[in-house]
Amino acid sequence: DAGVTQSPTHLIKTRGQQVTLRCSPKSGHDTVSWYQQALGQGPQFIFQYYEEEERQRGNFPDRFSGHQFPNYSSELNVNALLLGDSALYLCASRWGADTQYFGPGTRLTVL
Amino acid sequence: SQQGEEDPQALSIQEGENATMNCSYKTSINNLQWYRQNSGRGLVHLILIRSNEREKHSGRLRVTLDTSKKSSSLLITASRAADTASYFCATDAAGGGNKLTFGTGTQLKVEL
């Protein structure tokens, strides 16, 4: 049983560009959340998707958007990249109110 | 914003010793979870303790929760070099829709 998978592993972009990160949840999980982890910090909640809708959102600007597909996989899109968007982006999935399982993350570097 | 704060920020011990990390948080919670992270990789779930529980064990891990003090502790007994990692507490706030709010983490180094 595959756990949460994310792609790509690493990504380098320049300021102003746009990026799309992908996440496949653990089998049987229907809720996907995205977190941003800056170097030396704990992860910060970006948003959560359930039934293809954004259910909750953290304190992130509208440049951060997402999508959930019928197979529960999800994308995180970031527009107009800033240097400060450089971070490890983590996807987590769960079923119901159960434990959240995290993927390995995508390391985004903005130059 | 960070809900919790872990203490200490860094901890260095010898293999075989016990390691204790503490976490404080600010709001009422449904549960509190501890995660481990190796070298900036993904988070590995260690243990979940619910707000109506006071202590929980899993292998070499022991977690306590004091909701009156809004604090939790993680004890790793008989530590191993492989336990070297960053440890984070994360709270699932009451009425928070199951989003997790993480602390700043404790960096544990276990030396041979």
Side-chain angles (χ1 to χ4, degrees), chain A residues 5 13 21 27 38 41 43 47-48 67 77 82 88 99 103 108:
Chain A
T5 60
K13 293 285 188 177
L21 310 181
S27 178
Q41 300 293 315
F47 42 52
Q48 180 184 99
H67 188 77
N77 301 293
L82 304 174
L88 180 68
T99 300
L108 172 65

Side-chain angles (χ1 to χ4, degrees), chain A residues 12-55:
Chain A
I12 300 175
K13 293 285 188 177
T14 57
R15 282 178 295 174
Q17 286 189 313
Q18 177 264 344
V19 68
T20 297
L21 310 181
R22 295 177 176 82
C23 171
S24 291
K26 185 176 170 65
S27 178
H29 287 187
D30 58 4
T31 303
V32 173
S33 299
W34 287 91
Y35 293 79
Q36 179 196 65
Q37 185 178 21
L39 198 61
Q41 300 293 315
Q44 299 244 359
F45 175 78
I46 303 175
F47 42 52
Q48 180 184 99
Y49 278 84
Y50 172 67
E51 292 186 334
E52 301 179 51
E53 289 190 11
E54 182 182 294
R55 298 292 178 166

Side-chain angles (χ1 to χ4, degrees), chain A residues 1-4 24-32 50 68 71-73 92-96 98-102:
Chain A
D1 174 28
V4 180
S24 291
K26 185 176 170 65
S27 178
H29 287 187
D30 58 4
T31 303
V32 173
Y50 172 67
Q68 185 179 36
N71 67 352
Y72 307 122
S73 66
S93 72
R94 63 178 170 84
W95 181 85
D98 210 341
T99 300
Q100 292 197 37
Y101 290 88
F102 283 78

Side-chain angles (χ1 to χ4, degrees), chain A residues 35 37 40-45 48 56 88 90 94 97 99-100 102-104 107, chain B residues 1-2 33 35 37 40-43 45 48 88 96-100 102-104:
Chain A
Y35 293 79
Q37 185 178 21
Q41 300 293 315
Q44 299 244 359
F45 175 78
Q48 180 184 99
Q56 285 201 83
L88 180 68
L90 296 161
R94 63 178 170 84
T99 300
Q100 292 197 37
F102 283 78
R107 173 74 62 188
Chain B
S1 61
Q2 305 284 166
Q33 303 177 41
Y35 287 85
Q37 185 175 42
R41 297 176 187 168
L43 298 166
H45 184 262
L48 179 153
F88 293 91
N98 301 117
K99 73 177 185 182
L100 294 178
F102 284 82
T104 50

Side-chain angles (χ1 to χ4, degrees), chain B residues 11-74:
Chain B
L11 180 61
S12 182
I13 60 174
Q14 297 293 313
E15 199 171 49
E17 294 181 337
N18 295 341
T20 300
M21 289 159 258
N22 302 295
C23 168
S24 61
Y25 58 92
K26 299 174 183 174
T27 64
S28 297
I29 61 172
N30 293 320
N31 63 67
L32 184 145
Q33 303 177 41
W34 285 90
Y35 287 85
R36 185 185 75 223
Q37 185 175 42
N38 292 82
S39 301
R41 297 176 187 168
L43 298 166
V44 175
H45 184 262
L46 297 176
I47 197 164
L48 179 153
I49 187 165
R50 303 190 187 282
S51 61
N52 61 351
E53 297 175 313
R54 292 297 167 258
E55 187 171 313
K56 204 162 183 179
H57 297 254
S58 176
R60 294 185 296 113
L61 306 179
R62 172 180 169 250
V63 169
T64 62
L65 179 64
D66 187 335
T67 53
S68 67
K69 295 181 179 178
K70 291 187 168 59
S71 68
S72 174
S73 67
L74 170 68

